[in-house]
Amino acid sequence: MYKRVRLKDTVEVPPRNLADVTEERVQALLQDKLEGRMDEDVGSVVSVIDIHDIGDGAVLPNRPGVYYEAEFDAITYDPDMQEVVDGTVVEVVEFGAFVGIGPIDGLLHVSQISDEYLAYDGENQQLSSSESDATLGVDDAVRVRIVTKSIDERNPRDSKIGLTAKQPGLGKHEWLAQEYEQRHEDEAPAGDD
């Protein structure tokens, strides 16, 4: 879920910029420092958007810059457990598909995609069913539920988001549209002969 949050952090202004300690400068330094970083409390920082307060600068021994504490608003993405999200398949591997959900990727394990057996087709970068013509490949749009979440602040790339598509209303968008059409055809009254 995307959120707008109020945060505080300290930023180092290098000596060459000390004559220009403006909101714009502090915002740019905070963006360089924080955007893309994962935090267990707020999730992934997508963007630093508004600076509200810049404190007095502090000089630390043996450090060339001046440190300012700033209060600011940021847009963050923090996936909630059991949240249903739409995403796009960004990579297919033998054990499943990585799905881009917001600024992070989650794993849709092959066992959580379908009740059908899906075989890995490395040549075409897809998982395909031997029981039907169902395939799941790169750039396919999917609707999934977040079922596990483990955030690693030190190594954001090691954070793990587990996904499932094995519930009603979840799966590849194309499959959902086909199910919808089939359901409505089955419910339509038969024509008079």
Side-chain angles (χ1 to χ4, degrees):
M1 174 179 301
Y2 287 95
K3 298 175 186 169
R4 181 180 182 139
V5 296
R6 180 78 47 103
L7 300 172
K8 281 186 179 179
D9 204 336
T10 302
V11 65
E12 178 186 8
V13 177
R16 68 180 175 276
N17 298 120
L18 289 177
D20 183 32
V21 182
T22 61
E23 287 185 6
E24 292 79 15
R25 171 73 59 203
V26 170
Q27 182 174 352
L29 291 168
L30 285 167
Q31 287 170 333
D32 286 345
K33 178 181 179 182
L34 300 176
E35 288 180 2
R37 189 183 95 191
M38 291 290 275
D39 179 280
E40 193 167 339
D41 295 326
V42 298
S44 178
V45 177
V46 177
S47 182
V48 173
I49 53 173
D50 288 322
I51 304 298
H52 294 287
D53 184 45
I54 301 171
D56 295 331
V59 177
L60 299 179
N62 300 319
R63 300 291 218 147
V66 177
Y67 292 81
Y68 292 87
E69 183 172 89
E71 184 175 332
F72 56 95
D73 285 349
I75 300 297
T76 63
Y77 180 77
D78 188 17
D80 289 331
M81 291 293 292
Q82 306 307 319
E83 180 179 1
V84 174
V85 294
D86 286 316
T88 303
V89 175
V90 295
E91 182 181 4
V92 177
V93 292
E94 283 187 50
F95 53 87
F98 288 95
V99 177
I101 53 170
I104 57 177
D105 296 343
L107 174 63
L108 181 57
H109 191 272
V110 70
S111 67
Q112 294 298 310
I113 297 172
S114 169
D115 289 329
E116 297 178 18
Y117 173 76
L118 298 174
Y120 175 65
D121 177 359
E123 186 176 320
N124 295 310
Q125 281 291 290
Q126 66 182 12
L127 296 165
S128 56
S129 170
S130 57
E131 301 170 35
S132 68
D133 63 349
T135 62
L136 183 68
V138 174
D139 293 331
D140 284 344
V142 294
R143 179 164 295 142
V144 294
R145 181 181 304 279
I146 297 168
V147 292
T148 61
K149 176 175 126 175
S150 173
I151 303 299
D152 186 336
E153 291 181 31
R154 293 179 191 240
N155 265 329
R157 306 290 270 143
D158 291 340
S159 296
K160 293 175 177 48
I161 306 294
L163 308 170
T164 187
K166 282 184 74 171
Q167 295 170 342
L170 302 180
K172 182 176 172 180
H173 285 192
E174 181 182 307
W175 301 340
L176 296 173
Q178 289 169 352
E179 287 174 18
Y180 179 81
E181 288 173 19
Q182 183 64 44
R183 194 171 43 245
H184 281 75
E185 285 176 16
D186 293 345
E187 293 173 1
D192 291 5
D193 291 331

